Amino acid sequence: MTLSLNVLFVASEAVPLAKTGGLGDMVGACAVALRRAGLKVTVMLPGYPTAIAQLQHTRTVCEWTDLPGGRARLLSGRMGAQGIPVLLFDAPALFGRSGSPYLDDHGEPYDDNALRFAAFSQAAARVAGGVPGALATFGRFDLVQAHDWHTGLVPLFIKRAQAPVKTVFTVHNLAFQGNFPMRVVPDIGVPPDAAHEAEFWGQFSFLKAGLLWADRITTVSHAYAREILTEAAGCGMQDLLRARQQDLVAILNGIDNDVWNPSKDTLLPQPFFAANLSGKHVAKRALQQRFGLPEDAQAPLLAMGSRLTHQKMADVALQALPELLESNPQLQVAVLGCGEHQYETGMAELAARYPRQVAAKIGYTEAHAHLLHAGADILLHGSRFEPCGLTPLYAMRYGTVPVASRVGGLVDTITDRGSPEAALHGATGFLFDGDTADAMVAAVEGALRIFAQPQAWRILQYNGMTTDFGWSQPAREYVALYRTLVPAATPMPTVALAQTPPVQDPLLTPRPDQPVRTPARRRSTALSDEIRAHAVARAASAEKIRA
């Protein structure tokens, strides 16, 4: 069925044109999934030099001279193998910079980030309202979905322009708010009364503006949606979010199963499948070689593959790892990531202290990331808060068992049943509470005890690899959300979503026109308990795991 709904995604990054983390992955993959579902989806991004260079079939749509930051062009084209329609806001004075989209050469936020993303948001609002040069190609947009603080002004500018377009504002991480001194307001085109409403502790907040003026607010997991309504995790926005909780919708992120697929991953030395992990053993050997660790098929190999920051508990890992390494002489640790200087230095010093057990690569490449997830046995993913957590999803897809914090989206996606026998009942990993080294050590030690039981470990791997974390279900949920905002965009499919239990979560009471959904785990293609207990055990024996 062809849908008449026309959606504009506005974001600061989207794969393959721009990526610094999970935001770019989500925007690019979700756009592809929604187009597969039959919607018209266009992605609008800033015109970073690397994005312009990768754009396919580029043409100039129009030029502007009256936006903050000076002269700009609107470029159109396509991106990726799927040919997703793209609009780029090409403002050389604002975005014609190499390196990070947000940080200067010293790792500090650009001084003019408020101006940069305000101009981008104004341009997006104009596009949403209809730019003559784009109408023939892209048509009139019914709905705009703006992602994270960088686009928080888009709903405001659309409302002030009285454009007949509905808006959704997606919070990927509430801690990043785009707060700037109030003195920037006259330069970024925000009316004084709106600036007063979006004031946050004496500063102007892009994030608060998005929360105030969007028609709906979404976030990227069910547990995180509950957490941000509390003082502990609300980052100062909890009162506003509680006031708007009837408009708050949780839709769990997915992963791109075409990109993250061990059976056809060209970045791996050999493909592998849930039913046969021979290729994973090859990947483990390649990972040990690449990171300079001794080749040892029996050694438990623990990976860390996230930003080295306080949020990601890098400080706790630096306390916990020496204890784990001393008590487990065979344990190997491979670290891939970058972040705060003190933690980068700490990981390098740890590698120097334990040269035969620890290797740290400071930085990030896709090739290293894919090999890390494929070759490791365990993923350590501590986090003080986690809106969704894509890294453990990638790990489970590749048969690497996560040990993670019991927060946010990790609660929604990792099943910890609490005992070795629980592997037969759908367990996929290990969760721990709090942010202490003792809690992290205990969780890793628990994983190592199960690792020493090959058949139970093999079932854990199988459970994770056969759980569907793809984008099909999230795409259906976004379509259902859009239907509540643009019912006139017909024909629209009827989407059957799982109903909540009779006792509803008081923090997420649905509005009358909003589809009711439950944070149910993704569909699994796993075998029944009895069949799995025998079939997987036989496979484990046949592969001679770690022998």
Side-chain angles (χ1 to χ4, degrees):
M1 179 183 294
T2 300
L3 309 183
S4 62
L5 189 64
N6 194 2
V7 179
L8 176 66
F9 270 19
V10 184
S12 60
E13 52 187 270
V15 294
L17 298 189
K19 172 186 172 178
T20 65
L23 172 63
D25 282 333
M26 182 274 181
V27 174
C30 187
V32 171
L34 289 173
R35 285 185 64 85
R36 285 175 177 168
L39 278 70
K40 301 175 183 176
V41 181
T42 302
V43 178
M44 182 169 177
L45 302 170
Y48 310 117
T50 53
I52 295 174
Q54 295 177 76
L55 193 64
Q56 306 162 15
H57 311 297
T58 306
R59 73 177 183 88
T60 299
V61 176
C62 66
E63 295 190 5
W64 290 302
T65 59
D66 58 341
L67 287 173
R71 183 179 296 276
R73 296 185 302 164
L74 183 67
L75 305 178
S76 71
R78 302 269 173 169
M79 71 175 185
Q82 297 82 8
I84 299 296
V86 175
L87 291 168
L88 294 184
F89 176 61
D90 179 25
L94 301 177
F95 294 105
R97 306 168 188 181
S98 59
S100 167
Y102 319 115
L103 308 176
D104 62 22
D105 293 337
H106 303 288
E108 297 295 326
Y110 285 116
D111 292 336
D112 61 347
N113 270 348
L115 181 66
R116 298 170 77 219
F117 290 105
F120 174 56
S121 295
Q122 283 201 37
R126 292 188 183 186
V127 169
V131 173
L135 285 174
T137 303
F138 299 98
R140 292 195 177 276
F141 293 104
D142 300 297
L143 184 142
V144 174
Q145 184 162 347
H147 295 267
D148 254 358
W149 76 260
H150 319 89
T151 62
L153 299 188
V154 174
L156 165 63
F157 289 139
I158 286 176
K159 284 285 194 300
R160 289 305 174 105
Q162 298 183 335
V165 180
K166 296 296 184 179
T167 56
V168 174
F169 182 57
T170 298
V171 177
H172 294 261
N173 193 330
L174 197 69
F176 298 106
Q177 302 182 341
N179 298 331
F180 299 94
M182 292 297 288
R183 65 174 180 273
V184 307
V185 170
D187 299 326
I188 63 177
V190 174
D193 61 317
H196 177 73
E197 291 188 63
E199 181 270 339
F200 183 69
W201 293 99
Q203 295 186 300
F204 176 75
S205 175
F206 278 52
L207 179 81
K208 186 176 180 180
L211 298 178
L212 281 169
W213 283 289
D215 294 304
R216 294 287 189 278
I217 302 163
T218 70
T219 193
V220 292
S221 74
H222 298 270
Y224 190 62
R226 293 190 294 270
E227 291 173 357
I228 61 178
L229 299 177
T230 68
E231 185 174 352
C235 300
M237 298 289 179
Q238 63 273 7
D239 290 340
L240 172 55
L241 286 165
R242 286 174 190 153
R244 296 214 60 192
Q245 71 181 68
Q246 295 295 313
D247 297 315
L248 177 62
V249 179
I251 299 177
L252 185 64
N253 273 350
I255 63 174
D256 189 331
N257 283 328
D258 291 329
V259 174
W260 296 96
N261 187 339
S263 69
K264 59 179 183 181
D265 192 333
T266 59
L267 296 175
L268 302 185
Q270 179 179 317
F272 59 91
F273 312 83
N276 186 337
L277 296 186
S278 298
K280 184 171 177 66
H281 309 325
V282 175
K284 181 174 183 176
R285 185 165 61 250
L287 178 63
Q288 290 169 329
Q289 293 172 348
R290 186 85 57 90
F291 276 66
L293 293 168
E295 293 182 33
D296 185 347
Q298 296 184 353
L301 178 49
L302 181 147
M304 288 181 60
S306 61
R307 298 191 310 277
L308 300 178
T309 63
H310 183 262
Q311 177 200 339
K312 298 295 185 181
M313 291 172 59
D315 55 325
V316 179
L318 285 170
Q319 297 173 46
L321 287 174
E323 181 177 344
L324 288 164
L325 293 163
E326 293 290 345
S327 59
N328 299 276
Q330 269 198 307
L331 178 64
Q332 296 181 341
V333 177
V335 179
L336 175 66
C338 56
E340 297 170 31
H341 178 70
Q342 59 182 321
Y343 302 133
E344 293 181 351
T345 301
M347 290 299 173
E349 291 175 348
L350 191 68
R353 180 179 169 188
Y354 298 94
R356 294 188 60 80
Q357 288 181 272
V358 180
K361 287 190 179 293
I362 304 304
Y364 178 88
T365 68
E366 287 292 321
H368 279 141
H370 282 245
L371 185 60
L372 187 81
H373 291 306
D377 299 301
I378 301 167
L379 175 79
L380 178 58
H381 192 82
S383 192
R384 288 181 164 89
F385 59 92
E386 191 69 63
C388 180
L390 294 179
T391 300
L393 303 188
Y394 301 147
M396 287 187 281
R397 185 86 165 105
Y398 284 69
T400 297
V401 177
V403 175
S405 301
R406 197 188 309 272
V407 294
L410 304 175
V411 176
D412 290 349
T413 55
I414 299 171
T415 303
D416 182 355
R417 302 296 192 196
S419 71
E421 298 78 14
L424 290 175
H425 301 287
T428 59
F430 304 85
L431 296 172
F432 62 91
D433 296 297
D435 59 356
T436 66
D438 287 345
M440 182 178 285
V441 167
V444 175
E445 291 283 9
L448 291 174
R449 284 193 293 273
I450 310 303
F451 182 80
Q453 304 174 46
Q455 292 185 359
W457 189 261
R458 181 68 177 86
I459 295 168
L460 277 177
Q461 292 177 298
Y462 190 89
N463 291 345
M465 294 184 74
T466 56
T467 301
D468 180 9
F469 290 113
W471 269 103
S472 296
Q473 177 62 21
R476 287 192 288 269
E477 295 184 30
Y478 276 116
V479 170
L481 169 63
Y482 299 159
R483 289 182 65 222
T484 70
L485 290 169
V486 194
T490 55
M492 296 287 286
T494 299
V495 179
L497 296 171
Q499 297 300 302
T500 55
V503 180
Q504 295 182 357
D505 187 334
L507 295 179
L508 291 176
T509 304
R511 48 186 300 135
D513 61 342
Q514 176 180 311
V516 180
R517 51 189 139 269
T518 178
R521 198 159 308 282
R522 291 272 200 270
R523 174 182 59 82
S524 174
T525 58
L527 305 173
S528 69
D529 291 350
E530 293 79 8
I531 295 174
R532 187 191 302 116
H534 298 287
V536 180
R538 285 198 303 273
S541 300
E543 292 168 24
K544 302 185 184 302
I545 294 177
R546 301 189 295 281

